[in-house]
Amino acid sequence: MVTQALISKSSKYQCGKFTLGKFLSLLMVSGLVYLLVHKSSEGFVSGELHGKEVQSKHASKDSPNIRTFWRKSPRLPPRLPPNEIYKNSSILHQSPPSEWTSRQKKVKEAFEHGWSGYRNYALGYDELMPLSHRGVDGLGGLGATVVDSLDTAIIMGADDVVSEASAWIEDNLMKKINEKGQVNLFETTIRILGGLLSAYHLSGGNQAGGGDSGIPVTPNKTNPDRLLEVSKDLADRLLLAFTSSPTAIPYSDVVLRDRSAHASPDGLSSTSEATTLQLEFSYLSRISGDPKYGLEAMKVLEHMRTLPTVEGLVPIYISPYSGQFSGENIRLGSRGDSYYEYLLKVWVQQENYHNTSLKYLFEMYTEAMRGVKHLLVRKTTPNGLVFVGELPHGRNGAFSPKMDHLVCFLPGTLALGATKGITKKKALENNLLTKEDIENLQLAEDLAKTCVEMYFVTSTGLAPEIAYFHIEGNPDGGPDGGNKSSEYINDITIKPLDRHNLLRPETVESLFVLHRITEDPKYREWGWQIFQAFEKYTKVDSGGYTSLDDVTSIPPPRRDKMETFFLGETLKYLYLLFGESNILPLDKYVFNTEAHPLPVIRSAVQVSDTV
């Protein structure tokens, strides 16, 4: 009625020839135009990502204002297929900061759910068997999940878990060290010693560098002095592996109770295990004021410097009796992986010696990465995925297009080696990147893409333990991952014995590092998809998460095992991936191969103020 009244009286309110009735008619037409344009814009903003819809959270912000009505509609770029979306970051829809805060909270909830299963059914055991509601000791019986989880809980601010884990360590760990028998030197160093030392630092034990972490220190939740005391006692026993060996290569096993050490039954050590001990022992020397720990561990890398290599690459076995390599098998998967990681990270950790006594480590790392590019990197057919293969019989043997999920640590290591932990943007602005650095960073991004596709090619969206890649001259096919909508279904073969998933962290580790360095949001989105797949298929309602037997089938058969590294590494890296970059910055912290962050040592003073 009001409208009719206004129209009937419109002749009284004229401005020139433009009447109120005409104005109202124009307004109605404009509204129709607005609805049509708004609907079109929504159709562009939403897209698909690896077969799953990603709806825009910003549709209201992207809606045109009234000025748009008088303009010609812009030409929209063509819709990209799912696997091309991330190649143009200007088109990539970025979730708002509040969305990532929410997703980070989901990861914390997953951690607390995993811990609840362990606490209820397996506290004090190394690992949880979530389906059968019991614990199992597979790592020497030192309560590995407790120690592996403590710094994750500190980082996440999971105070109840911090209190529970700290209390257990203070009451039980020293007794277990005194009573337990044989442990593996490598596993005990990276999980137990590394976990204790990281928790010591993050809980304020080393005041000299504690302010760099960006993590608030919560007093009365932990006892740093006790953590250091237990670390020293454990390390004193582990040192027997070094001092008992006739060469610089340590024995693989230590009997804690007897304070003795011996080689494995075949007399060999894994190259990666013997050379992945230095970050932890060097940091312990730094905070304890006792140089013996770092000196013994560094003898290994000093010895490795003298051995022959294949363009910087080394076989995966070495003898503590002769100090020489055994066999010719070269790979960056199991038994070889973290050797290359620690060449870089030990150099990064000891900042004062970058260009002096430890320069050889970065030179060895650089040579090895050149060897990787020359001898191990290939592209798949038909779609050109970049991957790292193996030389099972050395340089003169046949190339194997096999890649362990463990190799997916490499993208993060390459990115860290290129920028030394600062962002790519900052490195470019300050002319800090060489041509080789830029090449390595590109290889890192290409390999990360491949690692992610190892997830997305399967029916569950979770990666197998091992994948094989189709290459020219090797036309043999094989079973695929099950996701027929994947662009790379014909590039990747997953053999029946390799289809299991152990909740491994290597891919999300590299996504975390690459996001920090490139600031590209695609790495977060990929990580979120992987996390959702873990939630969907590995979560156990009664508490904990379980490994899977076959990621190519739905529903996947479950293995009844939650590895310590799921809480210690996988969820930690996902939490940091979705968080702020000032938390544990990569130019101030080095993560050991079990994801325990240790501070870069900048001061030449080797004695902590707390000792």
Side-chain angles (χ1 to χ4, degrees), residues 220-247:
N220 305 321
K221 298 292 183 184
T222 58
N223 184 343
D225 292 337
R226 182 62 169 171
L227 293 173
L228 179 57
E229 179 186 358
V230 178
S231 298
K232 290 167 63 178
D233 183 272
L234 177 60
D236 286 340
R237 299 169 196 253
L238 296 177
L239 277 183
L240 270 295
F242 299 90
T243 58
S244 299
S245 172
T247 69

PDB file of all heavy atoms in Angstrom, residues 220-247:
ATOM      1  N   ASN A 220      55.599 -25.084  37.185  1.00  0.00           N
ATOM      2  CA  ASN A 220      55.041 -26.131  38.040  1.00  0.00           C
ATOM      3  C   ASN A 220      54.400 -27.277  37.271  1.00  0.00           C
ATOM      4  O   ASN A 220      53.818 -28.167  37.883  1.00  0.00           O
ATOM      5  CB  ASN A 220      54.013 -25.541  39.017  1.00  0.00           C
ATOM      6  CG  ASN A 220      54.576 -24.402  39.855  1.00  0.00           C
ATOM      7  OD1 ASN A 220      55.734 -24.474  40.278  1.00  0.00           O
ATOM      8  ND2 ASN A 220      53.789 -23.370  40.074  1.00  0.00           N
ATOM      9  N   LYS A 221      54.516 -27.276  35.943  1.00  0.00           N
ATOM     10  CA  LYS A 221      54.003 -28.411  35.169  1.00  0.00           C
ATOM     11  C   LYS A 221      55.088 -29.461  34.950  1.00  0.00           C
ATOM     12  O   LYS A 221      54.793 -30.646  34.792  1.00  0.00           O
ATOM     13  CB  LYS A 221      53.477 -27.933  33.807  1.00  0.00           C
ATOM     14  CG  LYS A 221      52.318 -26.949  33.889  1.00  0.00           C
ATOM     15  CD  LYS A 221      51.051 -27.592  34.418  1.00  0.00           C
ATOM     16  CE  LYS A 221      49.897 -26.603  34.424  1.00  0.00           C
ATOM     17  NZ  LYS A 221      48.672 -27.179  35.036  1.00  0.00           N
ATOM     18  N   THR A 222      56.324 -29.019  34.880  1.00  0.00           N
ATOM     19  CA  THR A 222      57.447 -29.925  34.671  1.00  0.00           C
ATOM     20  C   THR A 222      58.557 -29.581  35.656  1.00  0.00           C
ATOM     21  O   THR A 222      58.560 -28.516  36.279  1.00  0.00           O
ATOM     22  CB  THR A 222      58.011 -29.795  33.247  1.00  0.00           C
ATOM     23  OG1 THR A 222      58.421 -28.443  33.028  1.00  0.00           O
ATOM     24  CG2 THR A 222      56.981 -30.183  32.206  1.00  0.00           C
ATOM     25  N   ASN A 223      59.530 -30.474  35.755  1.00  0.00           N
ATOM     26  CA  ASN A 223      60.705 -30.271  36.598  1.00  0.00           C
ATOM     27  C   ASN A 223      61.936 -30.335  35.709  1.00  0.00           C
ATOM     28  O   ASN A 223      62.487 -31.415  35.471  1.00  0.00           O
ATOM     29  CB  ASN A 223      60.766 -31.342  37.686  1.00  0.00           C
ATOM     30  CG  ASN A 223      61.918 -31.126  38.652  1.00  0.00           C
ATOM     31  OD1 ASN A 223      62.858 -30.388  38.367  1.00  0.00           O
ATOM     32  ND2 ASN A 223      61.855 -31.785  39.800  1.00  0.00           N
ATOM     33  N   PRO A 224      62.386 -29.188  35.167  1.00  0.00           N
ATOM     34  CA  PRO A 224      63.515 -29.200  34.232  1.00  0.00           C
ATOM     35  C   PRO A 224      64.776 -29.834  34.818  1.00  0.00           C
ATOM     36  O   PRO A 224      65.504 -30.530  34.097  1.00  0.00           O
ATOM     37  CB  PRO A 224      63.726 -27.712  33.914  1.00  0.00           C
ATOM     38  CG  PRO A 224      62.416 -27.072  34.204  1.00  0.00           C
ATOM     39  CD  PRO A 224      61.836 -27.827  35.341  1.00  0.00           C
ATOM     40  N   ASP A 225      65.044 -29.602  36.091  1.00  0.00           N
ATOM     41  CA  ASP A 225      66.244 -30.177  36.696  1.00  0.00           C
ATOM     42  C   ASP A 225      66.209 -31.698  36.654  1.00  0.00           C
ATOM     43  O   ASP A 225      67.224 -32.355  36.402  1.00  0.00           O
ATOM     44  CB  ASP A 225      66.387 -29.699  38.143  1.00  0.00           C
ATOM     45  CG  ASP A 225      66.684 -28.212  38.238  1.00  0.00           C
ATOM     46  OD1 ASP A 225      67.205 -27.653  37.242  1.00  0.00           O
ATOM     47  OD2 ASP A 225      66.388 -27.612  39.281  1.00  0.00           O
ATOM     48  N   ARG A 226      65.023 -32.258  36.902  1.00  0.00           N
ATOM     49  CA  ARG A 226      64.897 -33.713  36.852  1.00  0.00           C
ATOM     50  C   ARG A 226      65.049 -34.222  35.425  1.00  0.00           C
ATOM     51  O   ARG A 226      65.667 -35.268  35.189  1.00  0.00           O
ATOM     52  CB  ARG A 226      63.526 -34.122  37.417  1.00  0.00           C
ATOM     53  CG  ARG A 226      63.291 -35.627  37.459  1.00  0.00           C
ATOM     54  CD  ARG A 226      64.277 -36.341  38.363  1.00  0.00           C
ATOM     55  NE  ARG A 226      63.886 -37.723  38.604  1.00  0.00           N
ATOM     56  CZ  ARG A 226      64.652 -38.617  39.207  1.00  0.00           C
ATOM     57  NH1 ARG A 226      65.865 -38.274  39.634  1.00  0.00           N
ATOM     58  NH2 ARG A 226      64.204 -39.857  39.399  1.00  0.00           N
ATOM     59  N   LEU A 227      64.500 -33.498  34.456  1.00  0.00           N
ATOM     60  CA  LEU A 227      64.645 -33.893  33.063  1.00  0.00           C
ATOM     61  C   LEU A 227      66.112 -33.923  32.650  1.00  0.00           C
ATOM     62  O   LEU A 227      66.554 -34.847  31.951  1.00  0.00           O
ATOM     63  CB  LEU A 227      63.870 -32.932  32.158  1.00  0.00           C
ATOM     64  CG  LEU A 227      62.345 -32.941  32.280  1.00  0.00           C
ATOM     65  CD1 LEU A 227      61.734 -31.824  31.451  1.00  0.00           C
ATOM     66  CD2 LEU A 227      61.767 -34.296  31.866  1.00  0.00           C
ATOM     67  N   LEU A 228      66.882 -32.940  33.092  1.00  0.00           N
ATOM     68  CA  LEU A 228      68.306 -32.906  32.772  1.00  0.00           C
ATOM     69  C   LEU A 228      69.052 -34.026  33.483  1.00  0.00           C
ATOM     70  O   LEU A 228      69.939 -34.674  32.900  1.00  0.00           O
ATOM     71  CB  LEU A 228      68.889 -31.543  33.153  1.00  0.00           C
ATOM     72  CG  LEU A 228      70.389 -31.354  32.888  1.00  0.00           C
ATOM     73  CD1 LEU A 228      70.710 -31.593  31.413  1.00  0.00           C
ATOM     74  CD2 LEU A 228      70.834 -29.966  33.321  1.00  0.00           C
ATOM     75  N   GLU A 229      68.698 -34.282  34.721  1.00  0.00           N
ATOM     76  CA  GLU A 229      69.342 -35.356  35.481  1.00  0.00           C
ATOM     77  C   GLU A 229      69.142 -36.712  34.798  1.00  0.00           C
ATOM     78  O   GLU A 229      70.091 -37.494  34.631  1.00  0.00           O
ATOM     79  CB  GLU A 229      68.771 -35.392  36.894  1.00  0.00           C
ATOM     80  CG  GLU A 229      69.354 -36.485  37.778  1.00  0.00           C
ATOM     81  CD  GLU A 229      68.653 -36.586  39.124  1.00  0.00           C
ATOM     82  OE1 GLU A 229      67.726 -35.778  39.389  1.00  0.00           O
ATOM     83  OE2 GLU A 229      69.005 -37.491  39.911  1.00  0.00           O
ATOM     84  N   VAL A 230      67.912 -37.001  34.387  1.00  0.00           N
ATOM     85  CA  VAL A 230      67.623 -38.267  33.716  1.00  0.00           C
ATOM     86  C   VAL A 230      68.326 -38.318  32.360  1.00  0.00           C
ATOM     87  O   VAL A 230      68.851 -39.369  31.954  1.00  0.00           O
ATOM     88  CB  VAL A 230      66.106 -38.465  33.550  1.00  0.00           C
ATOM     89  CG1 VAL A 230      65.813 -39.752  32.798  1.00  0.00           C
ATOM     90  CG2 VAL A 230      65.424 -38.482  34.914  1.00  0.00           C
ATOM     91  N   SER A 231      68.361 -37.206  31.653  1.00  0.00           N
ATOM     92  CA  SER A 231      69.040 -37.149  30.347  1.00  0.00           C
ATOM     93  C   SER A 231      70.502 -37.519  30.479  1.00  0.00           C
ATOM     94  O   SER A 231      71.039 -38.309  29.679  1.00  0.00           O
ATOM     95  CB  SER A 231      68.914 -35.752  29.742  1.00  0.00           C
ATOM     96  OG  SER A 231      67.576 -35.402  29.491  1.00  0.00           O
ATOM     97  N   LYS A 232      71.176 -36.982  31.460  1.00  0.00           N
ATOM     98  CA  LYS A 232      72.598 -37.257  31.649  1.00  0.00           C
ATOM     99  C   LYS A 232      72.840 -38.715  32.019  1.00  0.00           C
ATOM    100  O   LYS A 232      73.778 -39.350  31.518  1.00  0.00           O
ATOM    101  CB  LYS A 232      73.166 -36.328  32.713  1.00  0.00           C
ATOM    102  CG  LYS A 232      73.250 -34.872  32.271  1.00  0.00           C
ATOM    103  CD  LYS A 232      73.509 -33.921  33.430  1.00  0.00           C
ATOM    104  CE  LYS A 232      74.827 -34.180  34.092  1.00  0.00           C
ATOM    105  NZ  LYS A 232      75.086 -33.209  35.191  1.00  0.00           N
ATOM    106  N   ASP A 233      72.001 -39.254  32.890  1.00  0.00           N
ATOM    107  CA  ASP A 233      72.164 -40.655  33.271  1.00  0.00           C
ATOM    108  C   ASP A 233      71.972 -41.579  32.075  1.00  0.00           C
ATOM    109  O   ASP A 233      72.755 -42.521  31.861  1.00  0.00           O
ATOM    110  CB  ASP A 233      71.176 -41.015  34.379  1.00  0.00           C
ATOM    111  CG  ASP A 233      71.355 -42.439  34.875  1.00  0.00           C
ATOM    112  OD1 ASP A 233      70.738 -43.352  34.288  1.00  0.00           O
ATOM    113  OD2 ASP A 233      72.123 -42.655  35.839  1.00  0.00           O
ATOM    114  N   LEU A 234      70.941 -41.315  31.290  1.00  0.00           N
ATOM    115  CA  LEU A 234      70.695 -42.126  30.099  1.00  0.00           C
ATOM    116  C   LEU A 234      71.824 -41.984  29.101  1.00  0.00           C
ATOM    117  O   LEU A 234      72.322 -42.984  28.542  1.00  0.00           O
ATOM    118  CB  LEU A 234      69.365 -41.715  29.465  1.00  0.00           C
ATOM    119  CG  LEU A 234      68.994 -42.418  28.155  1.00  0.00           C
ATOM    120  CD1 LEU A 234      68.877 -43.922  28.349  1.00  0.00           C
ATOM    121  CD2 LEU A 234      67.692 -41.842  27.588  1.00  0.00           C
ATOM    122  N   ALA A 235      72.267 -40.762  28.854  1.00  0.00           N
ATOM    123  CA  ALA A 235      73.330 -40.529  27.876  1.00  0.00           C
ATOM    124  C   ALA A 235      74.635 -41.187  28.307  1.00  0.00           C
ATOM    125  O   ALA A 235      75.392 -41.698  27.465  1.00  0.00           O
ATOM    126  CB  ALA A 235      73.538 -39.030  27.675  1.00  0.00           C
ATOM    127  N   ASP A 236      74.935 -41.194  29.599  1.00  0.00           N
ATOM    128  CA  ASP A 236      76.152 -41.860  30.086  1.00  0.00           C
ATOM    129  C   ASP A 236      76.146 -43.336  29.713  1.00  0.00           C
ATOM    130  O   ASP A 236      77.190 -43.913  29.380  1.00  0.00           O
ATOM    131  CB  ASP A 236      76.273 -41.699  31.599  1.00  0.00           C
ATOM    132  CG  ASP A 236      76.680 -40.293  32.015  1.00  0.00           C
ATOM    133  OD1 ASP A 236      77.224 -39.562  31.164  1.00  0.00           O
ATOM    134  OD2 ASP A 236      76.432 -39.922  33.175  1.00  0.00           O
ATOM    135  N   ARG A 237      74.999 -43.962  29.794  1.00  0.00           N
ATOM    136  CA  ARG A 237      74.890 -45.376  29.424  1.00  0.00           C
ATOM    137  C   ARG A 237      74.969 -45.563  27.907  1.00  0.00           C
ATOM    138  O   ARG A 237      75.601 -46.502  27.416  1.00  0.00           O
ATOM    139  CB  ARG A 237      73.584 -45.953  29.973  1.00  0.00           C
ATOM    140  CG  ARG A 237      73.480 -45.898  31.496  1.00  0.00           C
ATOM    141  CD  ARG A 237      72.073 -46.240  31.975  1.00  0.00           C
ATOM    142  NE  ARG A 237      71.854 -45.832  33.349  1.00  0.00           N
ATOM    143  CZ  ARG A 237      71.784 -46.657  34.401  1.00  0.00           C
ATOM    144  NH1 ARG A 237      71.922 -47.965  34.220  1.00  0.00           N
ATOM    145  NH2 ARG A 237      71.566 -46.189  35.607  1.00  0.00           N
ATOM    146  N   LEU A 238      74.321 -44.673  27.168  1.00  0.00           N
ATOM    147  CA  LEU A 238      74.349 -44.775  25.717  1.00  0.00           C
ATOM    148  C   LEU A 238      75.746 -44.545  25.149  1.00  0.00           C
ATOM    149  O   LEU A 238      76.091 -45.087  24.086  1.00  0.00           O
ATOM    150  CB  LEU A 238      73.375 -43.780  25.092  1.00  0.00           C
ATOM    151  CG  LEU A 238      71.885 -43.997  25.405  1.00  0.00           C
ATOM    152  CD1 LEU A 238      71.048 -42.890  24.776  1.00  0.00           C
ATOM    153  CD2 LEU A 238      71.408 -45.360  24.917  1.00  0.00           C
ATOM    154  N   LEU A 239      76.555 -43.779  25.856  1.00  0.00           N
ATOM    155  CA  LEU A 239      77.911 -43.505  25.381  1.00  0.00           C
ATOM    156  C   LEU A 239      78.738 -44.771  25.243  1.00  0.00           C
ATOM    157  O   LEU A 239      79.736 -44.799  24.519  1.00  0.00           O
ATOM    158  CB  LEU A 239      78.625 -42.538  26.327  1.00  0.00           C
ATOM    159  CG  LEU A 239      78.372 -41.046  26.140  1.00  0.00           C
ATOM    160  CD1 LEU A 239      79.218 -40.242  27.122  1.00  0.00           C
ATOM    161  CD2 LEU A 239      78.679 -40.611  24.702  1.00  0.00           C
ATOM    162  N   LEU A 240      78.337 -45.840  25.953  1.00  0.00           N
ATOM    163  CA  LEU A 240      79.074 -47.099  25.852  1.00  0.00           C
ATOM    164  C   LEU A 240      79.078 -47.637  24.434  1.00  0.00           C
ATOM    165  O   LEU A 240      80.006 -48.346  24.025  1.00  0.00           O
ATOM    166  CB  LEU A 240      78.470 -48.135  26.802  1.00  0.00           C
ATOM    167  CG  LEU A 240      79.021 -48.203  28.231  1.00  0.00           C
ATOM    168  CD1 LEU A 240      80.481 -48.641  28.225  1.00  0.00           C
ATOM    169  CD2 LEU A 240      78.840 -46.899  28.966  1.00  0.00           C
ATOM    170  N   ALA A 241      78.051 -47.320  23.652  1.00  0.00           N
ATOM    171  CA  ALA A 241      78.018 -47.762  22.256  1.00  0.00           C
ATOM    172  C   ALA A 241      79.163 -47.148  21.461  1.00  0.00           C
ATOM    173  O   ALA A 241      79.689 -47.768  20.523  1.00  0.00           O
ATOM    174  CB  ALA A 241      76.679 -47.392  21.628  1.00  0.00           C
ATOM    175  N   PHE A 242      79.547 -45.940  21.816  1.00  0.00           N
ATOM    176  CA  PHE A 242      80.656 -45.263  21.142  1.00  0.00           C
ATOM    177  C   PHE A 242      82.001 -45.749  21.679  1.00  0.00           C
ATOM    178  O   PHE A 242      82.895 -46.109  20.916  1.00  0.00           O
ATOM    179  CB  PHE A 242      80.551 -43.754  21.342  1.00  0.00           C
ATOM    180  CG  PHE A 242      79.303 -43.136  20.799  1.00  0.00           C
ATOM    181  CD1 PHE A 242      78.164 -43.011  21.581  1.00  0.00           C
ATOM    182  CD2 PHE A 242      79.250 -42.650  19.501  1.00  0.00           C
ATOM    183  CE1 PHE A 242      77.010 -42.427  21.098  1.00  0.00           C
ATOM    184  CE2 PHE A 242      78.103 -42.061  18.995  1.00  0.00           C
ATOM    185  CZ  PHE A 242      76.974 -41.957  19.798  1.00  0.00           C
ATOM    186  N   THR A 243      82.145 -45.736  22.989  1.00  0.00           N
ATOM    187  CA  THR A 243      83.457 -46.017  23.587  1.00  0.00           C
ATOM    188  C   THR A 243      83.834 -47.493  23.549  1.00  0.00           C
ATOM    189  O   THR A 243      85.010 -47.830  23.636  1.00  0.00           O
ATOM    190  CB  THR A 243      83.491 -45.519  25.042  1.00  0.00           C
ATOM    191  OG1 THR A 243      82.443 -46.156  25.790  1.00  0.00           O
ATOM    192  CG2 THR A 243      83.279 -44.004  25.097  1.00  0.00           C
ATOM    193  N   SER A 244      82.847 -48.390  23.400  1.00  0.00           N
ATOM    194  CA  SER A 244      83.155 -49.819  23.323  1.00  0.00           C
ATOM    195  C   SER A 244      83.541 -50.268  21.919  1.00  0.00           C
ATOM    196  O   SER A 244      84.150 -51.321  21.746  1.00  0.00           O
ATOM    197  CB  SER A 244      81.945 -50.645  23.784  1.00  0.00           C
ATOM    198  OG  SER A 244      81.591 -50.362  25.106  1.00  0.00           O
ATOM    199  N   SER A 245      83.181 -49.478  20.923  1.00  0.00           N
ATOM    200  CA  SER A 245      83.445 -49.860  19.541  1.00  0.00           C
ATOM    201  C   SER A 245      84.921 -49.649  19.192  1.00  0.00           C
ATOM    202  O   SER A 245      85.536 -48.665  19.632  1.00  0.00           O
ATOM    203  CB  SER A 245      82.579 -49.025  18.600  1.00  0.00           C
ATOM    204  OG  SER A 245      82.938 -49.239  17.255  1.00  0.00           O
ATOM    205  N   PRO A 246      85.496 -50.546  18.393  1.00  0.00           N
ATOM    206  CA  PRO A 246      86.900 -50.380  17.981  1.00  0.00           C
ATOM    207  C   PRO A 246      87.107 -49.275  16.950  1.00  0.00           C
ATOM    208  O   PRO A 246      88.250 -48.912  16.646  1.00  0.00           O
ATOM    209  CB  PRO A 246      87.248 -51.746  17.395  1.00  0.00           C
ATOM    210  CG  PRO A 246      85.942 -52.307  16.925  1.00  0.00           C
ATOM    211  CD  PRO A 246      84.925 -51.811  17.899  1.00  0.00           C
ATOM    212  N   THR A 247      86.031 -48.733  16.396  1.00  0.00           N
ATOM    213  CA  THR A 247      86.131 -47.641  15.418  1.00  0.00           C
ATOM    214  C   THR A 247      85.247 -46.484  15.853  1.00  0.00           C
ATOM    215  O   THR A 247      84.594 -46.540  16.890  1.00  0.00           O
ATOM    216  CB  THR A 247      85.689 -48.114  14.018  1.00  0.00           C
ATOM    217  OG1 THR A 247      84.270 -48.355  14.031  1.00  0.00           O
ATOM    218  CG2 THR A 247      86.416 -49.393  13.605  1.00  0.00           C
TER     219      THR A 247
END
